Amino acid sequence: MPKNKNKGPKMTTVVTKTGESLKLFEDLNDFEMFIRNEVEDDEFDNIHCQLKYYPPFVLQDAKDHDPEKIKDTENCHSKKFVRHLHQHVEKHLLKDIKEALQQPTLKFHDKSKDATFEKITWHYGEQTELHNKKFKVQIDVSCNNDGAMVDVDYKTVPIKEESEE
């Protein structure tokens, strides 16, 4: 299916209690297109987005790519699912985000993982600079025990230059 380049990404915007604008996505391509567009508009250094999606490897295993046919065992309790999800994140999701940010050499040196019975979360962070703007990229990717849906929390935060005193 050809992509319509004139059509913008499908998202929902909510305003949090703190007044922050939060963008919600249900499609990986729309999420990546939004990041690319923000870089082009020079608005990339103060963003908060969340994405909920089924990873491509899960949909490929489901009959006819139907989310209703995803196996119940596709969750954080499956070693195979967790391994494939981590590979997808490291080799595809982070790579695509780097390309959308026009930072192909970006390394996420700040990496960690939290795991409980209900949930596994990988944390990625790095400081970078684009168009003379310094900012921190923070990405949290989570899967839980009740399904194959993956949650991505993407945030960029400007880094203020220390003023001379």
Side-chain angles (χ1 to χ4, degrees):
M1 179 183 302
K3 292 183 182 178
N4 181 351
K5 295 187 180 201
N6 295 329
K7 185 179 177 185
K10 183 180 174 192
M11 70 181 151
T12 304
T13 302
V14 295
V15 178
T16 65
K17 291 179 182 178
T18 61
E20 176 187 41
S21 177
L22 176 65
K23 312 287 187 206
L24 305 175
F25 296 87
E26 294 179 2
D27 180 83
L28 182 58
N29 292 326
D30 287 343
F31 170 73
E32 291 169 355
M33 183 190 314
F34 173 77
I35 294 171
R36 240 183 324 280
N37 290 346
E38 292 301 292
V39 168
E40 290 173 7
D41 293 342
D42 207 28
E43 300 290 331
F44 53 85
D45 65 333
N46 194 12
I47 297 174
H48 191 186
C49 304
Q50 291 180 341
L51 166 68
K52 287 184 168 292
Y53 74 109
Y54 290 109
F57 69 89
V58 169
L59 290 173
Q60 287 170 354
D61 289 346
K63 186 175 181 181
D64 300 322
H65 296 273
D66 183 357
E68 297 289 323
K69 307 231 167 113
I70 294 173
K71 296 176 190 170
D72 291 339
T73 56
E74 298 282 349
N75 62 47
C76 74
H77 292 277
S78 164
K79 288 181 182 179
K80 180 181 175 184
F81 173 80
V82 171
R83 183 177 67 249
H84 285 163
L85 177 58
H86 191 247
Q87 289 172 347
H88 162 71
V89 169
E90 295 269 335
K91 295 186 187 317
H92 299 288
L93 180 66
L94 294 179
K95 180 179 171 235
D96 293 345
I97 289 172
K98 290 175 195 181
E99 289 174 4
L101 280 171
Q102 300 175 7
Q103 299 284 308
T105 60
L106 182 67
K107 305 276 189 232
F108 289 97
H109 291 100
D110 184 10
K111 294 182 183 181
S112 64
K113 175 182 168 184
D114 294 327
T116 64
F117 180 79
E118 292 90 15
K119 184 180 191 177
I120 295 174
T121 303
W122 292 276
H123 308 280
Y124 300 90
E126 188 65 71
Q127 293 184 12
T128 190
E129 184 175 344
L130 182 63
H131 304 303
N132 296 317
K133 291 183 178 180
K134 292 182 180 181
F135 62 103
K136 179 172 174 119
V137 180
Q138 297 169 238
I139 303 168
D140 296 332
V141 181
S142 302
C143 61
N144 57 45
N145 65 344
D146 64 359
M149 184 72 72
V150 173
D151 297 320
V152 177
D153 189 77
Y154 171 88
K155 188 182 273 193
T156 57
V157 180
I159 298 173
K160 305 288 184 210
E161 295 292 323
E162 292 184 31
S163 59
E164 296 178 13
E165 293 185 30

